[in-house]
Amino acid sequence: MKRLAHLAWRDTWATPARLFLLAAGVAVGVAALALFFAVGRGVESAVMHRVLGVLPDRLVVEPSATAIGPIKMGGAPLDDAAIERIRAIPGVRGVLRRMQIPLPAHLTANIQGRSFYTDLIVEAVDPEVVEGDVPPGSFAVRPLDQPMPSVLPSVMLDILNIGLAVNTGLPQMNPDVIVGRHFTLNLGSSSFKIGPTASMRSEVVGISPRIGVGGPAIPIGYLPELDRMLREKGGEMPRLGASSATVQLNSPEDAPAVTAVLKGQGLTLPQEGRVAQVGGAIRAVSLAMTLFGLLVLAVAGTGIGNGLGLMVKDESGEIGLFRAIGASQADVLSLYLLRAAFVGMVGGACGVLIAALAAITINSVAARALPGLLSGDERMAALAAADVALALGLGMLFSVLAGVIPARQAARIDPAAALRER
Amino acid sequence: MSQIDLQGVTRSYSGQVVLANLDLTVEAGEFVAIAGPSGTGKSTLLNLLGGLDRPDGGRVVVAGVDLATAPEAALDAHRRDRVGFIFQSFHINPRRTALENVLLPLVFAPLEEDEDRVGRARLREVGLEALADRPAATLSGGQRQRVAVARALIRKPPILLADEPVGDLDAATGAEIVALLEGINREQGVTIVSVTHDVALLRAASRRLGLEQGRLVPLPDEATR
């Protein structure tokens, strides 16, 4: 077979113009498939990550809420025992807490010379909750003469840009502008309720979709200091439990089993429904695009079949010679199937190259046109090795299938007649 | 037992009888030349001997195997191991080098020896070793036919089947090929069955036959003058 493959490879390249003509269809089909896979993967990742705040190896859980008619009543916060029970589930690497502080709060800031005031809800979180959204080490407890780090929820940018900026004339904000800004966080009073207040200067170190939408998140390590400040003013920090927890998994494959146990512990996974809906919609669009790519490959396959058929007719004398020097019908069949496979391989390689160039272009355009959707190493078209391998495999499969009829014709050529005709 | 033994062989195409109850025996080491007008079935006879075609009736026994009834795999093995073909139009691929053309049969049936060395040795036997790595497209007609002879002999088959081997060559070049075949027959003991119109080739053969009305008859000496 190795010798046949070598002969087929050489004969495939013997007429490069014909090869590339045949391979062009496969190239377009494979490029379309690889690109559709890449865009589907990229968009799903971007939407899940940036819009829903979902990472594949993390699950967010909350205490079960009770609904009485239209009124939804939150469950009791997760205490230390509940957190430990989650930690003990096989497949769980760690549990990160998000603690909503049940005290009135507001922030004051000065933006471009204008005073800014807003009521909000403060969360204290384990630093790993926002890992990846902030520079490493920036969301940690600092010496008290330095500002406390805080992270703003992604949705707050929208509120600032769509709501406040329109009505107040404030400039449009993007993460680059917000990060590094300072504000004063006042815990204990708001425009609705005045009480003992702990005030701290804070620096925005990042934007994250993985924290509560009501306001900034601060590291849990600042709670003792805030409690001390409140006590000095005659107040105190209430006893806190986790309003939600982010469950870190050993691997994304553990998600189904861990989800089942979490539900068994009476916890809810608020993102589950949204993820299923959004993921389903994205996958439906990806499937439609994949079917289109397969259709292109099928059309290309027809072209290859016709091209190989003409080639067999053209090379009947050589096929007759092969038979005269000892080739069996199976040898000839294999030879032409290999040539079909090589056409698919060359076309597929060209297709992957085209897809890679298109992906670079799409990512470049998306980075300029949709700066809010993509950040860091995220790509709109995420060309993965598995997708490339699948597209290449499908390209070769369609080529080989298209080559079956011409290869059978070649194998059935009457060698005596073929040699006579030459 | 004769190396080639045909008895009562008939073959028709589209109702037209080409070979009619034909008999032929050839001993090992013979050089048999068969002449006859075009369309009388000379090439058909060679195809039957080479296992490229089967008769409608009769026996085609070559080296003890009846090719009329042998399974397809036995015919493949027969073509690989027992016969070598030479054609009028050479059937040399111009895109391959001389050596690559010579080694082509080994794609389907490898040798245990160093194939490159064997291929060059065959080319040396036909006087073309110096041109082994030249593309066949750059070779003359006579050189291409020598390459075809080397290819036919690559696995050292005991029988060489030549279909008008000098038909496309000028007289001088044709004479060189005839001398080459004569030498292969004499020195290597290879049995040669050739169909031809060429007088020089007929003269070189140890036995001359004519194909008339589907049967073989001895060719009178006048035919070689």
Side-chain angles (χ1 to χ4, degrees), chain A residues 36-364:
Chain A
F36 293 160
F37 291 153
V39 171
R41 187 185 290 271
V43 169
E44 184 170 356
S45 167
V47 170
M48 293 292 181
H49 184 198
R50 304 299 300 175
V51 180
L52 298 183
V54 174
L55 288 177
D57 63 345
R58 294 187 182 193
L59 298 170
V60 175
V61 292
E62 289 177 355
S64 279
T66 309
I68 303 171
I71 303 166
K72 192 176 176 185
M73 298 165 69
L78 301 170
D79 57 16
D80 291 347
I83 296 293
E84 283 311 310
R85 277 199 300 276
I86 297 171
R87 277 206 178 96
I89 298 171
V92 171
R93 179 161 54 87
V95 182
L96 310 175
R97 295 160 297 165
R98 279 174 47 194
M99 297 175 168
Q100 196 172 305
I101 301 176
L103 288 175
H106 70 277
L107 74 76
T108 53
N110 191 295
I111 302 175
Q112 294 191 337
R114 301 177 64 174
S115 293
F116 182 77
Y117 176 105
T118 184
D119 290 336
L120 37 76
I121 299 167
V122 181
E123 253 188 9
V125 302
D126 280 319
E128 294 92 335
V129 169
V130 292
E131 194 177 37
D133 298 321
V134 297
S138 64
F139 192 67
V141 176
R142 301 171 175 176
L144 289 177
D145 59 343
Q146 292 180 20
M148 171 177 66
S150 60
V151 173
L152 299 184
S154 306
V155 73
M156 206 160 171
L157 266 188
D158 296 333
I159 294 169
L160 281 172
N161 288 334
I162 300 167
L164 291 175
V166 171
N167 294 313
T168 61
L170 282 170
Q172 292 281 315
M173 299 284 182
N174 63 43
D176 293 338
V177 174
I178 291 280
V179 172
R181 283 189 177 273
H182 290 205
F183 64 89
T184 302
L185 181 67
N186 305 285
L187 194 62
S189 63
S190 69
S191 50
F192 298 103
K193 188 178 178 185
I194 307 295
T197 302
S199 296
M200 283 191 89
R201 289 291 292 164
S202 182
E203 178 192 352
V204 180
V205 296
I207 309 289
S208 174
R210 276 174 287 279
I211 54 175
V213 298
I218 60 171
I220 279 180
Y222 276 93
L223 289 176
E225 176 59 18
L226 288 167
D227 183 40
R228 188 192 62 76
M229 291 169 79
L230 283 168
R231 285 178 191 279
E232 277 182 3
K233 304 278 177 68
E236 68 173 329
M237 180 72 73
R239 185 174 170 79
L240 298 180
S243 50
S244 79
T246 300
V247 181
Q248 296 172 299
L249 305 175
N250 287 332
S251 99
E253 284 74 42
D254 293 322
V258 174
T259 298
V261 179
L262 289 170
K263 285 181 178 174
Q265 291 182 358
L267 300 168
T268 58
L269 288 86
Q271 289 168 328
E272 198 177 33
R274 279 182 290 161
V275 168
Q277 280 179 338
V278 174
I282 292 169
R283 276 188 286 278
V285 174
S286 296
L287 180 66
M289 293 197 295
T290 301
L291 288 176
F292 176 73
L294 291 174
L295 187 68
V296 173
L297 272 183
V299 172
T302 312
I304 290 174
N306 290 334
L308 285 174
L310 288 173
M311 203 155 75
V312 166
K313 205 171 174 184
D314 207 30
E315 296 175 357
S316 62
E318 176 122 310
I319 294 166
L321 175 73
F322 289 159
R323 297 300 310 280
I325 60 178
S328 63
Q329 285 191 325
D331 288 334
V332 175
L333 182 81
S334 304
L335 192 64
Y336 278 86
L337 284 178
L338 282 166
R339 286 178 70 170
F342 288 146
V343 168
M345 203 164 88
V346 172
C350 293
V352 167
L353 196 66
I354 293 168
L357 292 173
I360 290 169
T361 308
I362 287 172
N363 289 333
S364 165

Side-chain angles (χ1 to χ4, degrees), chain B residues 128-152:
Chain B
L128 282 185
E129 192 187 11
L131 304 180
D133 299 312
R134 283 259 298 268
T138 64
L139 302 179
S140 69
Q143 288 169 333
R144 289 187 196 197
Q145 192 61 299
R146 285 171 184 271
V147 171
V149 171
R151 180 181 65 197

Side-chain angles (χ1 to χ4, degrees), chain A residues 3-4 7 10-11 14-15 317-318 321-329 331 414-416 419-420 422, chain B residues 13 47 52-53 72 76 79-80 85 87 89 91-93 95-96 100 104-108 110-111 115 151:
Chain A
R3 287 163 182 260
L4 275 178
L7 181 65
R10 285 209 53 177
D11 284 352
T15 49
E318 176 122 310
L321 175 73
F322 289 159
R323 297 300 310 280
I325 60 178
S328 63
Q329 285 191 325
D331 288 334
D414 174 3
L419 289 165
R420 204 164 42 236
R422 177 144 167 173
Chain B
Y13 290 109
N47 289 337
L52 287 173
D53 196 4
E72 202 61 38
D76 294 337
R79 292 193 299 273
R80 277 199 302 268
F85 281 95
F87 306 96
S89 54
H91 283 288
I92 293 296
N93 189 321
R95 289 188 295 267
R96 299 189 178 107
E100 286 167 349
L104 190 61
L106 306 185
V107 170
F108 309 106
L111 290 176
E115 293 179 349
R151 180 181 65 197

Side-chain angles (χ1 to χ4, degrees), chain A residues 390-416:
Chain A
L390 181 61
L392 273 175
L394 285 171
M396 279 183 69
L397 177 69
F398 273 74
S399 295
V400 172
L401 288 177
V404 168
I405 291 176
R408 284 170 64 100
Q409 285 170 345
R412 287 175 179 173
I413 278 179
D414 174 3

